[in-house]
Amino acid sequence: MTVLTGAWTQVSARVLRQREHGAGHRWLDLEVPSGFDPPAAGQFVQLLLAATASAALLPRPMSVAACRRRPRGWELGFLYAPIGTGTLALAALEAGAHVGVLGPLGRGFPLESPGTPVLVAGGRGVAPLLFAADALGRARRRCEFLFGARGRAQLVGLAEARARLARLGGRMHVCTDDGSVGWKGHVVALLERVAARLEPPLVVHACGPHAMLKAVAHWGLARGVPSFLAMESIMACGTGVCRGCPLPRSARGRTAFRREIVPSLYGNEEWAMCCTEGPVFEAAALDWDRIE
Ligand SMILES: Cc1cc2nc3c(=O)[nH]c(=O)nc-3n(C[C@H](O)[C@H](O)[C@H](O)COP(=O)(O)OP(=O)(O)OC[C@H]3O[C@@H](n4cnc5c(N)ncnc54)[C@H](O)[C@@H]3O)c2cc1C
Ligand code: FES
């Protein structure tokens, strides 16, 4: 897998705007100064709220959902659910407020991988995949975009995602478990249907709940389709120091680890660090039977 070598920095970012994004989610645009390396799709940042704004001591990890150049830096977009201390405080920030941003962090989707890109999103997992679709569009590569959720209410920002895909020339396929929108069924069953109609080889990039990613990983491994999954772990530092975000390696992952000379901020033979080795992992690298 490609190692993204861009260095991370910690900067003070300015809130440009925030708005409702449907299904109880928010869209946040932050301006970071030009010294900040532009993130790649699948990478994340750590958002650090001022002590006056929140009781949250630790930063909160967030996938980058969009990145645009601005005269004095970059505009980063985030799609998030206000669910707890940190994200609720984030939701209360007005335009002009400042928030610390540490990043870009981790390894993103290897979008340069050959084959027809098939992006598979579950619920708010749509965030980094919209960014991936943008990057593929800029490289003049058309993608197939599968977006699934339990029901209509969990299809976060569907109308905007459709519009963005249409602009990029990608094709959107929607499904819901309850059949309230699109095809009725699970997104991995939709993947099976759509894949049968596509010109091989395929390459899958996915983000969503771990149960969905596990099913996508098994689907890709069984068919020899390279699959890259954006994982989440509870994180503290986001930089490999605290050892708090382990994911279990597969036997193949352990062998690969033994063969490589790895940076000290990666995990050990048994455990991969989600923040430095991920959050995007190739399906064969992890032991899916030990992932919840
Ligand atoms: C690499 C990465 C990318 C992420 N990208 C996004 C994103 O694009 N949009 C988004 O809405 N969220 C994203 N998350 C999850 C987000 O970081 C958590 O929802 C957030 O940290 C919760 O903080 P809080 O203070 O609001 O909640 P807390 O008060 O800390 O916790 C509230 C609840 O959320 C759970 N929680 C805390 N951290 C996580 C986590 N990392 N994953 C799952 N549940 C968690 C807690 O266990 C608890 O049940 C991402 C997480 C990671 C690791
Ligand atoms: S969050 Fe600290 S090591 Fe990954």
Side-chain angles (χ1 to χ4, degrees), residues 120-121 145-152 155 158 162 172-197 219:
V120 185
F145 199 108
L146 280 61
F147 190 6
R150 286 200 307 278
R152 179 186 295 274
L155 284 169
L158 175 62
R162 272 195 210 279
M172 173 79 99
H173 311 262
V174 180
C175 68
T176 45
D177 294 356
D178 63 6
S180 51
V181 186
W183 186 72
K184 184 175 190 303
H186 193 263
V187 74
V188 183
L190 180 64
L191 174 61
E192 177 74 10
R193 281 167 64 95
V194 171
R197 300 197 296 262
W219 183 91

mmCIF file of all heavy atoms in Angstrom, residues 120-121 145-152 155 158 162 172-197 219:
data_model
loop_
_atom_site.group_PDB
_atom_site.id
_atom_site.type_symbol
_atom_site.label_atom_id
_atom_site.label_comp_id
_atom_site.label_asym_id
_atom_site.label_seq_id
_atom_site.Cartn_x
_atom_site.Cartn_y
_atom_site.Cartn_z
ATOM 1 N N VAL A 120 -17.660 2.251 -1.834
ATOM 2 C CA VAL A 120 -18.795 1.678 -1.096
ATOM 3 C C VAL A 120 -18.936 2.405 0.246
ATOM 4 O O VAL A 120 -18.058 2.308 1.105
ATOM 5 C CB VAL A 120 -18.590 0.165 -0.855
ATOM 6 C CG1 VAL A 120 -19.827 -0.439 -0.189
ATOM 7 C CG2 VAL A 120 -18.292 -0.555 -2.164
ATOM 8 N N ALA A 121 -20.042 3.133 0.398
ATOM 9 C CA ALA A 121 -20.249 3.948 1.596
ATOM 10 C C ALA A 121 -21.427 3.424 2.408
ATOM 11 O O ALA A 121 -22.477 3.091 1.853
ATOM 12 C CB ALA A 121 -20.523 5.402 1.201
ATOM 13 N N PHE A 145 -20.331 4.537 -7.433
ATOM 14 C CA PHE A 145 -20.476 4.936 -6.025
ATOM 15 C C PHE A 145 -21.689 4.230 -5.434
ATOM 16 O O PHE A 145 -22.822 4.493 -5.835
ATOM 17 C CB PHE A 145 -20.638 6.453 -5.952
ATOM 18 C CG PHE A 145 -20.346 7.040 -4.598
ATOM 19 C CD1 PHE A 145 -19.193 7.774 -4.380
ATOM 20 C CD2 PHE A 145 -21.225 6.866 -3.535
ATOM 21 C CE1 PHE A 145 -18.906 8.325 -3.129
ATOM 22 C CE2 PHE A 145 -20.954 7.408 -2.283
ATOM 23 C CZ PHE A 145 -19.788 8.150 -2.079
ATOM 24 N N LEU A 146 -21.462 3.333 -4.491
ATOM 25 C CA LEU A 146 -22.556 2.601 -3.844
ATOM 26 C C LEU A 146 -22.774 3.200 -2.458
ATOM 27 O O LEU A 146 -21.825 3.306 -1.674
ATOM 28 C CB LEU A 146 -22.204 1.118 -3.704
ATOM 29 C CG LEU A 146 -22.383 0.241 -4.943
ATOM 30 C CD1 LEU A 146 -21.523 0.683 -6.109
ATOM 31 C CD2 LEU A 146 -22.084 -1.211 -4.598
ATOM 32 N N PHE A 147 -24.020 3.564 -2.186
ATOM 33 C CA PHE A 147 -24.329 4.241 -0.921
ATOM 34 C C PHE A 147 -25.487 3.501 -0.268
ATOM 35 O O PHE A 147 -26.588 3.437 -0.823
ATOM 36 C CB PHE A 147 -24.712 5.693 -1.235
ATOM 37 C CG PHE A 147 -24.838 6.600 -0.028
ATOM 38 C CD1 PHE A 147 -24.502 6.185 1.253
ATOM 39 C CD2 PHE A 147 -25.279 7.914 -0.186
ATOM 40 C CE1 PHE A 147 -24.604 7.025 2.347
ATOM 41 C CE2 PHE A 147 -25.390 8.777 0.898
ATOM 42 C CZ PHE A 147 -25.059 8.326 2.167
ATOM 43 N N GLY A 148 -25.214 2.898 0.887
ATOM 44 C CA GLY A 148 -26.252 2.125 1.562
ATOM 45 C C GLY A 148 -26.441 2.560 3.001
ATOM 46 O O GLY A 148 -25.540 3.143 3.610
ATOM 47 N N ALA A 149 -27.622 2.279 3.534
ATOM 48 C CA ALA A 149 -27.912 2.593 4.934
ATOM 49 C C ALA A 149 -29.126 1.763 5.357
ATOM 50 O O ALA A 149 -29.757 1.101 4.516
ATOM 51 C CB ALA A 149 -28.211 4.079 5.108
ATOM 52 N N ARG A 150 -29.431 1.827 6.666
ATOM 53 C CA ARG A 150 -30.583 1.049 7.156
ATOM 54 C C ARG A 150 -31.871 1.538 6.507
ATOM 55 O O ARG A 150 -32.714 0.770 6.108
ATOM 56 C CB ARG A 150 -30.691 1.180 8.679
ATOM 57 C CG ARG A 150 -29.640 0.390 9.430
ATOM 58 C CD ARG A 150 -30.049 0.141 10.872
ATOM 59 N NE ARG A 150 -30.423 1.368 11.567
ATOM 60 C CZ ARG A 150 -29.553 2.209 12.107
ATOM 61 N NH1 ARG A 150 -28.253 1.971 12.004
ATOM 62 N NH2 ARG A 150 -29.955 3.294 12.732
ATOM 63 N N GLY A 151 -32.018 2.859 6.423
ATOM 64 C CA GLY A 151 -33.232 3.422 5.841
ATOM 65 C C GLY A 151 -32.971 4.830 5.357
ATOM 66 O O GLY A 151 -31.838 5.335 5.450
ATOM 67 N N ARG A 152 -34.038 5.466 4.848
ATOM 68 C CA ARG A 152 -33.931 6.825 4.290
ATOM 69 C C ARG A 152 -33.222 7.789 5.250
ATOM 70 O O ARG A 152 -32.372 8.568 4.846
ATOM 71 C CB ARG A 152 -35.360 7.321 4.006
ATOM 72 C CG ARG A 152 -35.464 8.721 3.444
ATOM 73 C CD ARG A 152 -36.924 9.128 3.344
ATOM 74 N NE ARG A 152 -37.664 8.304 2.380
ATOM 75 C CZ ARG A 152 -37.731 8.534 1.071
ATOM 76 N NH1 ARG A 152 -37.118 9.569 0.554
ATOM 77 N NH2 ARG A 152 -38.402 7.747 0.281
ATOM 78 N N LEU A 155 -29.339 7.874 5.217
ATOM 79 C CA LEU A 155 -28.596 8.198 3.983
ATOM 80 C C LEU A 155 -28.150 9.660 4.087
ATOM 81 O O LEU A 155 -28.798 10.577 3.586
ATOM 82 C CB LEU A 155 -29.478 7.975 2.745
ATOM 83 C CG LEU A 155 -29.686 6.512 2.348
ATOM 84 C CD1 LEU A 155 -30.781 6.403 1.301
ATOM 85 C CD2 LEU A 155 -28.407 5.864 1.833
ATOM 86 N N LEU A 158 -27.808 12.576 1.013
ATOM 87 C CA LEU A 158 -27.934 11.853 -0.267
ATOM 88 C C LEU A 158 -28.060 12.799 -1.467
ATOM 89 O O LEU A 158 -27.392 12.609 -2.483
ATOM 90 C CB LEU A 158 -29.129 10.898 -0.211
ATOM 91 C CG LEU A 158 -29.442 10.167 -1.522
ATOM 92 C CD1 LEU A 158 -28.278 9.281 -1.942
ATOM 93 C CD2 LEU A 158 -30.715 9.326 -1.393
ATOM 94 N N ARG A 162 -25.510 12.885 -4.564
ATOM 95 C CA ARG A 162 -25.953 12.618 -5.951
ATOM 96 C C ARG A 162 -25.492 13.721 -6.886
ATOM 97 O O ARG A 162 -24.973 13.466 -7.970
ATOM 98 C CB ARG A 162 -27.486 12.579 -6.007
ATOM 99 C CG ARG A 162 -28.109 11.246 -5.739
ATOM 100 C CD ARG A 162 -29.576 11.346 -6.217
ATOM 101 N NE ARG A 162 -30.493 10.519 -5.490
ATOM 102 C CZ ARG A 162 -30.680 9.215 -5.710
ATOM 103 N NH1 ARG A 162 -29.972 8.609 -6.605
ATOM 104 N NH2 ARG A 162 -31.566 8.538 -5.005
ATOM 105 N N MET A 172 -24.070 6.707 -9.330
ATOM 106 C CA MET A 172 -24.513 6.451 -7.950
ATOM 107 C C MET A 172 -25.511 5.289 -7.919
ATOM 108 O O MET A 172 -26.433 5.227 -8.735
ATOM 109 C CB MET A 172 -25.170 7.733 -7.420
ATOM 110 C CG MET A 172 -25.828 7.621 -6.089
ATOM 111 S SD MET A 172 -24.628 7.674 -4.766
ATOM 112 C CE MET A 172 -24.744 9.364 -4.272
ATOM 113 N N HIS A 173 -25.304 4.372 -6.983
ATOM 114 C CA HIS A 173 -26.233 3.258 -6.761
ATOM 115 C C HIS A 173 -26.626 3.312 -5.289
ATOM 116 O O HIS A 173 -25.754 3.277 -4.420
ATOM 117 C CB HIS A 173 -25.561 1.921 -7.040
ATOM 118 C CG HIS A 173 -24.826 1.867 -8.353
ATOM 119 N ND1 HIS A 173 -25.350 1.318 -9.484
ATOM 120 C CD2 HIS A 173 -23.588 2.316 -8.690
ATOM 121 C CE1 HIS A 173 -24.468 1.418 -10.480
ATOM 122 N NE2 HIS A 173 -23.394 2.018 -10.022
ATOM 123 N N VAL A 174 -27.925 3.382 -5.015
ATOM 124 C CA VAL A 174 -28.376 3.549 -3.627
ATOM 125 C C VAL A 174 -29.165 2.323 -3.178
ATOM 126 O O VAL A 174 -29.915 1.724 -3.969
ATOM 127 C CB VAL A 174 -29.273 4.811 -3.515
ATOM 128 C CG1 VAL A 174 -29.756 5.010 -2.083
ATOM 129 C CG2 VAL A 174 -28.496 6.039 -3.975
ATOM 130 N N CYS A 175 -28.991 1.953 -1.914
ATOM 131 C CA CYS A 175 -29.811 0.864 -1.364
ATOM 132 C C CYS A 175 -30.118 1.135 0.105
ATOM 133 O O CYS A 175 -29.391 1.875 0.779
ATOM 134 C CB CYS A 175 -29.112 -0.486 -1.508
ATOM 135 S SG CYS A 175 -27.650 -0.660 -0.506
ATOM 136 N N THR A 176 -31.202 0.570 0.567
ATOM 137 C CA THR A 176 -31.550 0.649 1.999
ATOM 138 C C THR A 176 -32.038 -0.724 2.443
ATOM 139 O O THR A 176 -32.660 -1.453 1.657
ATOM 140 C CB THR A 176 -32.674 1.689 2.258
ATOM 141 O OG1 THR A 176 -33.707 1.509 1.270
ATOM 142 C CG2 THR A 176 -32.166 3.106 2.190
ATOM 143 N N ASP A 177 -31.753 -1.052 3.710
ATOM 144 C CA ASP A 177 -32.181 -2.363 4.227
ATOM 145 C C ASP A 177 -33.700 -2.484 4.180
ATOM 146 O O ASP A 177 -34.239 -3.559 3.935
ATOM 147 C CB ASP A 177 -31.723 -2.535 5.696
ATOM 148 C CG ASP A 177 -30.201 -2.600 5.804
ATOM 149 O OD1 ASP A 177 -29.524 -2.589 4.758
ATOM 150 O OD2 ASP A 177 -29.695 -2.641 6.946
ATOM 151 N N ASP A 178 -34.402 -1.333 4.438
ATOM 152 C CA ASP A 178 -35.874 -1.401 4.490
ATOM 153 C C ASP A 178 -36.547 -1.050 3.161
ATOM 154 O O ASP A 178 -37.771 -1.019 3.068
ATOM 155 C CB ASP A 178 -36.407 -0.490 5.611
ATOM 156 C CG ASP A 178 -36.084 0.998 5.363
ATOM 157 O OD1 ASP A 178 -35.560 1.328 4.273
ATOM 158 O OD2 ASP A 178 -36.350 1.815 6.259
ATOM 159 N N GLY A 179 -35.750 -0.767 2.151
ATOM 160 C CA GLY A 179 -36.310 -0.480 0.822
ATOM 161 C C GLY A 179 -36.942 0.899 0.705
ATOM 162 O O GLY A 179 -37.589 1.204 -0.303
ATOM 163 N N SER A 180 -36.725 1.791 1.694
ATOM 164 C CA SER A 180 -37.371 3.117 1.644
ATOM 165 C C SER A 180 -36.780 4.003 0.532
ATOM 166 O O SER A 180 -37.457 4.897 0.037
ATOM 167 C CB SER A 180 -37.286 3.823 3.003
ATOM 168 O OG SER A 180 -35.963 3.818 3.478
ATOM 169 N N VAL A 181 -35.542 3.775 0.152
ATOM 170 C CA VAL A 181 -34.929 4.475 -1.000
ATOM 171 C C VAL A 181 -34.062 3.475 -1.750
ATOM 172 O O VAL A 181 -33.349 2.681 -1.132
ATOM 173 C CB VAL A 181 -34.018 5.651 -0.550
ATOM 174 C CG1 VAL A 181 -33.532 6.445 -1.762
ATOM 175 C CG2 VAL A 181 -34.710 6.582 0.426
ATOM 176 N N GLY A 182 -34.123 3.521 -3.064
ATOM 177 C CA GLY A 182 -33.242 2.696 -3.891
ATOM 178 C C GLY A 182 -33.560 1.215 -3.812
ATOM 179 O O GLY A 182 -34.660 0.799 -3.434
ATOM 180 N N TRP A 183 -32.549 0.433 -4.130
ATOM 181 C CA TRP A 183 -32.691 -1.024 -4.134
ATOM 182 C C TRP A 183 -32.859 -1.517 -2.707
ATOM 183 O O TRP A 183 -32.247 -0.968 -1.787
ATOM 184 C CB TRP A 183 -31.438 -1.621 -4.784
ATOM 185 C CG TRP A 183 -31.497 -3.093 -5.000
ATOM 186 C CD1 TRP A 183 -32.240 -3.758 -5.920
ATOM 187 C CD2 TRP A 183 -30.765 -4.084 -4.264
ATOM 188 N NE1 TRP A 183 -32.030 -5.104 -5.809
ATOM 189 C CE2 TRP A 183 -31.124 -5.328 -4.800
ATOM 190 C CE3 TRP A 183 -29.848 -4.038 -3.210
ATOM 191 C CZ2 TRP A 183 -30.604 -6.526 -4.333
ATOM 192 C CZ3 TRP A 183 -29.327 -5.229 -2.733
ATOM 193 C CH2 TRP A 183 -29.704 -6.458 -3.287
ATOM 194 N N LYS A 184 -33.678 -2.541 -2.476
ATOM 195 C CA LYS A 184 -33.896 -3.040 -1.102
ATOM 196 C C LYS A 184 -32.889 -4.149 -0.811
ATOM 197 O O LYS A 184 -32.904 -5.196 -1.460
ATOM 198 C CB LYS A 184 -35.325 -3.581 -0.967
ATOM 199 C CG LYS A 184 -35.680 -4.031 0.448
ATOM 200 C CD LYS A 184 -37.157 -4.442 0.492
ATOM 201 C CE LYS A 184 -37.687 -4.684 1.872
ATOM 202 N NZ LYS A 184 -37.036 -5.656 2.671
ATOM 203 N N GLY A 185 -32.013 -3.859 0.138
ATOM 204 C CA GLY A 185 -31.028 -4.878 0.517
ATOM 205 C C GLY A 185 -29.773 -4.219 1.059
ATOM 206 O O GLY A 185 -29.646 -3.000 1.089
ATOM 207 N N HIS A 186 -28.829 -5.060 1.458
ATOM 208 C CA HIS A 186 -27.584 -4.585 2.053
ATOM 209 C C HIS A 186 -26.622 -4.138 0.965
ATOM 210 O O HIS A 186 -26.653 -4.642 -0.162
ATOM 211 C CB HIS A 186 -26.963 -5.722 2.879
ATOM 212 C CG HIS A 186 -25.868 -5.265 3.770
ATOM 213 N ND1 HIS A 186 -24.537 -5.360 3.415
ATOM 214 C CD2 HIS A 186 -25.894 -4.692 4.989
ATOM 215 C CE1 HIS A 186 -23.797 -4.864 4.396
ATOM 216 N NE2 HIS A 186 -24.602 -4.452 5.362
ATOM 217 N N VAL A 187 -25.738 -3.195 1.328
ATOM 218 C CA VAL A 187 -24.847 -2.609 0.325
ATOM 219 C C VAL A 187 -23.874 -3.646 -0.262
ATOM 220 O O VAL A 187 -23.447 -3.525 -1.414
ATOM 221 C CB VAL A 187 -24.110 -1.362 0.905
ATOM 222 C CG1 VAL A 187 -23.015 -1.746 1.872
ATOM 223 C CG2 VAL A 187 -23.579 -0.467 -0.184
ATOM 224 N N VAL A 188 -23.566 -4.707 0.503
ATOM 225 C CA VAL A 188 -22.651 -5.717 -0.047
ATOM 226 C C VAL A 188 -23.388 -6.593 -1.075
ATOM 227 O O VAL A 188 -22.791 -7.029 -2.064
ATOM 228 C CB VAL A 188 -21.995 -6.548 1.082
ATOM 229 C CG1 VAL A 188 -20.995 -7.539 0.499
ATOM 230 C CG2 VAL A 188 -21.288 -5.613 2.054
ATOM 231 N N ALA A 189 -24.685 -6.811 -0.859
ATOM 232 C CA ALA A 189 -25.480 -7.526 -1.875
ATOM 233 C C ALA A 189 -25.577 -6.658 -3.134
ATOM 234 O O ALA A 189 -25.527 -7.165 -4.268
ATOM 235 C CB ALA A 189 -26.868 -7.839 -1.324
ATOM 236 N N LEU A 190 -25.692 -5.345 -2.943
ATOM 237 C CA LEU A 190 -25.717 -4.427 -4.099
ATOM 238 C C LEU A 190 -24.364 -4.457 -4.813
ATOM 239 O O LEU A 190 -24.309 -4.447 -6.055
ATOM 240 C CB LEU A 190 -26.051 -3.005 -3.625
ATOM 241 C CG LEU A 190 -26.120 -1.932 -4.707
ATOM 242 C CD1 LEU A 190 -27.250 -2.210 -5.696
ATOM 243 C CD2 LEU A 190 -26.329 -0.540 -4.091
ATOM 244 N N LEU A 191 -23.299 -4.519 -4.048
ATOM 245 C CA LEU A 191 -21.955 -4.604 -4.635
ATOM 246 C C LEU A 191 -21.862 -5.833 -5.542
ATOM 247 O O LEU A 191 -21.342 -5.753 -6.665
ATOM 248 C CB LEU A 191 -20.916 -4.666 -3.490
ATOM 249 C CG LEU A 191 -19.461 -4.894 -3.857
ATOM 250 C CD1 LEU A 191 -18.925 -3.783 -4.743
ATOM 251 C CD2 LEU A 191 -18.597 -4.985 -2.575
ATOM 252 N N GLU A 192 -22.372 -6.942 -5.066
ATOM 253 C CA GLU A 192 -22.354 -8.184 -5.861
ATOM 254 C C GLU A 192 -23.110 -7.983 -7.188
ATOM 255 O O GLU A 192 -22.640 -8.384 -8.248
ATOM 256 C CB GLU A 192 -23.005 -9.304 -5.021
ATOM 257 C CG GLU A 192 -23.132 -10.637 -5.721
ATOM 258 C CD GLU A 192 -21.799 -11.376 -5.861
ATOM 259 O OE1 GLU A 192 -20.815 -10.940 -5.249
ATOM 260 O OE2 GLU A 192 -21.771 -12.361 -6.621
ATOM 261 N N ARG A 193 -24.273 -7.323 -7.120
ATOM 262 C CA ARG A 193 -25.080 -7.094 -8.338
ATOM 263 C C ARG A 193 -24.376 -6.152 -9.296
ATOM 264 O O ARG A 193 -24.305 -6.404 -10.505
ATOM 265 C CB ARG A 193 -26.428 -6.441 -7.969
ATOM 266 C CG ARG A 193 -27.468 -7.386 -7.434
ATOM 267 C CD ARG A 193 -28.604 -6.575 -6.830
ATOM 268 N NE ARG A 193 -29.307 -5.770 -7.831
ATOM 269 C CZ ARG A 193 -30.406 -6.151 -8.464
ATOM 270 N NH1 ARG A 193 -30.933 -7.330 -8.188
ATOM 271 N NH2 ARG A 193 -30.984 -5.373 -9.349
ATOM 272 N N VAL A 194 -23.871 -5.028 -8.755
ATOM 273 C CA VAL A 194 -23.263 -4.005 -9.611
ATOM 274 C C VAL A 194 -21.961 -4.543 -10.226
ATOM 275 O O VAL A 194 -21.684 -4.353 -11.411
ATOM 276 C CB VAL A 194 -23.003 -2.704 -8.806
ATOM 277 C CG1 VAL A 194 -22.179 -1.704 -9.605
ATOM 278 C CG2 VAL A 194 -24.333 -2.072 -8.389
ATOM 279 N N ALA A 195 -21.162 -5.242 -9.387
ATOM 280 C CA ALA A 195 -19.848 -5.727 -9.850
ATOM 281 C C ALA A 195 -19.998 -6.643 -11.058
ATOM 282 O O ALA A 195 -19.148 -6.631 -11.970
ATOM 283 C CB ALA A 195 -19.134 -6.446 -8.711
ATOM 284 N N ALA A 196 -21.088 -7.416 -11.077
ATOM 285 C CA ALA A 196 -21.284 -8.371 -12.181
ATOM 286 C C ALA A 196 -21.427 -7.651 -13.514
ATOM 287 O O ALA A 196 -21.185 -8.238 -14.575
ATOM 288 C CB ALA A 196 -22.526 -9.214 -11.894
ATOM 289 N N ARG A 197 -21.838 -6.365 -13.480
ATOM 290 C CA ARG A 197 -22.070 -5.622 -14.732
ATOM 291 C C ARG A 197 -20.868 -4.767 -15.127
ATOM 292 O O ARG A 197 -20.906 -4.083 -16.140
ATOM 293 C CB ARG A 197 -23.294 -4.708 -14.583
ATOM 294 C CG ARG A 197 -24.581 -5.456 -14.273
ATOM 295 C CD ARG A 197 -25.789 -4.583 -14.541
ATOM 296 N NE ARG A 197 -25.847 -3.414 -13.674
ATOM 297 C CZ ARG A 197 -26.588 -3.345 -12.563
ATOM 298 N NH1 ARG A 197 -27.322 -4.385 -12.209
ATOM 299 N NH2 ARG A 197 -26.611 -2.263 -11.843
ATOM 300 N N TRP A 219 -15.981 -10.124 0.960
ATOM 301 C CA TRP A 219 -16.404 -10.159 -0.444
ATOM 302 C C TRP A 219 -15.175 -10.013 -1.352
ATOM 303 O O TRP A 219 -14.984 -10.790 -2.288
ATOM 304 C CB TRP A 219 -17.401 -9.017 -0.700
ATOM 305 C CG TRP A 219 -17.959 -9.013 -2.093
ATOM 306 C CD1 TRP A 219 -19.097 -9.637 -2.514
ATOM 307 C CD2 TRP A 219 -17.395 -8.372 -3.243
ATOM 308 N NE1 TRP A 219 -19.283 -9.428 -3.854
ATOM 309 C CE2 TRP A 219 -18.248 -8.653 -4.328
ATOM 310 C CE3 TRP A 219 -16.270 -7.603 -3.471
ATOM 311 C CZ2 TRP A 219 -18.009 -8.189 -5.621
ATOM 312 C CZ3 TRP A 219 -16.005 -7.139 -4.757
ATOM 313 C CH2 TRP A 219 -16.873 -7.425 -5.812
#
